[in-house]
Amino acid sequence: MKAKTTRILITGAHGQLGQALLANLPWLPEFSPSRLRMEIPEASQVPGSAVKPRSAIAPGSAIEIVALGHQQLDLTSADLPERLSEINADVIINCAAYNAVDAAEQDMAAAMALNAEAPERLAIWCRQQGAWLIHISSDYVFGNVFGNDLGSVFGNVSGNASANMLGNAPRALTESDVCEPLSLYGQSKLAGEQRLLKANPGALVLRTSWLYSRFGSNFVLTMGRLLTERPELKVVADQVGTPTWAEALARLIWQLLIWFHLKPEKSAVLSGCFHYAATGQCSWYLFTQEIAEQIAKQQCNSAPSSQAAVPLQTASPSQAALQSQATLHSPANPAPITPRCRITPVSTAEYGALLNRAQAPRPAYSALDSSALKDAMAAMPSAFRCYLPKDYQSPIWLTWQAQLALMFSGLGAPSLD
């Protein structure tokens, strides 16, 4: 096949998913680090990867990656179309977002600018230039699809851990379920989806939920720290969704990009709106319990006579607290087997009272059904899979528990061999 160049722009590259995309590059000849153009400041390098900033692109390269954070590319700036034309990407992966759910209640203009207006502007440029746009959205576009009171399913939460068993939970939400966001953040994300797809029906919207990883600030890293700092954690048990490993989502996106690159003509691989999340569902309370179990397992597997065991060894400085506070230890620093912390389920209302501040409303149930996307991916030509490292795809369709275990074990990191 005649070599061609595909230029990929990643916006929001300093965020959790942006870093996960860069850390999970399929290390194949066409993705050689010498053929990678980066524009991320040295201090923001993705830890543990072979990615380094480069001012030049190797001659004859097949794939170019331009990864820009907010300081390098402000999606709300008036000159955005001109900046995009300078970059001239064939694909844009929009990871940039206003994610401060509670703050959006007081600053809707900022949320709309980044979550709704910017995606629309990206979509218009991509349509005009024939580029493909992949946009990341949120499960918070949904309201209480199954009614305001899920008490009959989840029971009386307060003081009753057994009420969080999900044997009778509703079905996961599909792309055809009605979106009625409860928060201004959710409204801004839904507006972004709608405006983007109206401006460019060939774009792809990927809705995902409860993202976590070894990067940035997220629930897993926060709970890992708090479990060793506090004697008790009170965690919401009446909100149910699907925790999703950002690095699994990143690998799914790279599959789509390889398919795009290998196509005879540069045209959208998928378009419209699709859900992606791990399989299964849980409450924040059960999620926290599983995090504690994973920490305990890592501690059990770390024998004092063995080499230092730090499963999150590639974590950035922002995760240093998790590594030390979660007692992921070395022989010189033995640690207790389990975090000394009691995890107590509380209702959303009870948690709000504990915060003593206004909280944006969240959906009581937002587990996502990814079957439509899985079917679409299964229809992809099988030949492209030879361009992926062995086991590269394996984390994508796992349960949320299995994805979490991979993150803690470090086994999910792609091989550089």
Side-chain angles (χ1 to χ4, degrees):
M1 182 181 68
K2 184 179 179 180
K4 62 179 180 179
T5 298
T6 298
R7 180 172 295 166
I8 299 167
L9 169 63
I10 301 173
T11 67
H14 296 172
Q16 179 176 199
L17 181 57
Q19 293 187 68
L21 282 163
L22 296 175
N24 284 270
L25 285 167
W27 290 104
L28 299 162
E30 294 189 20
F31 284 88
S32 167
S34 66
R35 297 171 179 173
L36 184 64
R37 174 185 169 198
M38 299 288 295
E39 295 184 27
I40 296 181
E42 191 72 39
S44 300
Q45 285 309 298
V46 177
S49 75
V51 174
K52 301 295 178 187
R54 296 179 181 272
S55 58
I57 304 171
S61 63
I63 292 177
E64 301 173 359
I65 299 171
V66 183
L68 304 178
H70 175 73
Q71 292 183 344
Q72 291 78 43
L73 183 64
D74 181 358
L75 300 188
T76 65
S77 65
D79 66 346
L80 178 63
E82 290 76 14
R83 290 296 315 279
L84 293 175
S85 294
E86 291 173 4
I87 299 167
N88 194 30
D90 300 293
V91 184
I92 297 177
I93 310 169
N94 183 31
C95 302
Y98 184 105
N99 289 326
V101 178
D102 294 331
E105 298 293 311
Q106 306 302 321
D107 196 359
M108 183 59 167
M112 286 294 293
L114 194 52
N115 291 347
E117 295 164 15
E120 180 181 30
R121 298 174 73 196
L122 290 173
I124 292 172
W125 185 90
C126 286
R127 186 197 69 221
Q128 293 173 341
Q129 303 301 321
W132 186 33
L133 173 61
I134 301 175
H135 173 70
I136 309 303
S137 191
S138 167
D139 59 322
Y140 278 35
V141 300
F142 291 107
N144 291 328
V145 176
F146 299 105
N148 293 324
D149 183 12
L150 289 176
S152 59
V153 174
F154 303 119
N156 177 25
V157 171
S158 183
N160 181 7
S162 65
N164 296 276
M165 304 309 292
L166 304 176
N168 296 317
R171 61 167 177 78
L173 301 173
T174 70
E175 294 83 353
S176 61
D177 280 309
V178 176
C179 293
E180 294 179 334
L182 304 175
S183 64
L184 295 182
Y185 163 78
Q187 291 175 27
S188 72
K189 293 298 289 184
L190 179 60
E193 292 183 10
Q194 294 171 336
R195 291 165 69 161
L196 177 152
L197 289 174
K198 182 178 180 180
N200 185 351
L204 173 63
V205 172
L206 290 176
R207 285 183 190 148
T208 191
S209 65
W210 295 22
L211 279 186
Y212 66 88
S213 70
R214 54 193 161 125
F215 306 115
S217 175
N218 59 73
F219 188 82
V220 171
L221 298 183
T222 299
M223 290 297 106
R225 173 175 54 83
L226 294 180
L227 282 166
T228 59
E229 290 182 350
R230 299 182 182 180
E232 181 184 21
L233 279 181
K234 294 184 177 180
V235 186
V236 171
D238 60 356
Q239 293 175 27
V240 171
T242 305
T244 303
W245 190 28
E247 297 191 52
L249 173 57
R251 295 188 186 198
L252 180 143
I253 291 172
W254 281 121
Q255 285 194 51
L256 294 174
L257 294 173
I258 291 172
W259 190 8
F260 176 90
H261 177 69
L262 295 176
K263 285 167 65 72
E265 296 181 359
K266 291 182 177 178
S267 58
V269 171
L270 288 176
S271 61
C273 180
F274 287 87
H275 289 176
Y276 174 71
T279 60
Q281 52 190 266
C282 67
S283 65
W284 293 112
Y285 166 71
L286 284 182
F287 191 18
T288 304
Q289 286 189 317
E290 188 68 23
I291 293 167
E293 287 187 20
Q294 289 299 326
I295 292 174
K297 287 178 181 178
Q298 292 304 309
Q299 294 164 359
C300 287
N301 292 335
S302 299
S305 60
S306 66
Q307 188 178 4
V310 185
L312 300 182
Q313 59 187 343
T314 57
S316 65
S318 65
Q319 283 102 53
L322 175 64
Q323 292 189 353
S324 59
Q325 296 297 333
T327 59
L328 303 172
H329 60 288
S330 67
N333 182 31
I337 295 301
T338 58
R340 293 190 285 260
C341 180
R342 182 161 58 95
I343 306 170
T344 303
V346 296
S347 67
T348 298
E350 290 169 329
Y351 184 73
L354 291 170
L355 289 179
N356 196 29
R357 61 175 171 81
Q359 237 196 339
R362 270 87 165 160
Y365 184 85
S366 60
L368 300 180
D369 182 344
S370 304
S371 59
L373 180 59
K374 187 175 183 179
D375 291 344
M377 296 286 286
M380 293 169 63
S382 58
F384 94 97
R385 293 183 175 87
C386 70
Y387 289 83
L388 293 170
K390 183 181 179 181
D391 298 327
Y392 186 82
Q393 306 169 76
S394 59
I396 295 175
W397 306 113
L398 294 178
T399 65
W400 66 267
Q401 297 98 322
Q403 286 188 356
L404 183 66
L406 275 178
M407 173 186 153
F408 272 94
S409 69
L411 296 178
S415 172
L416 302 185
D417 296 333

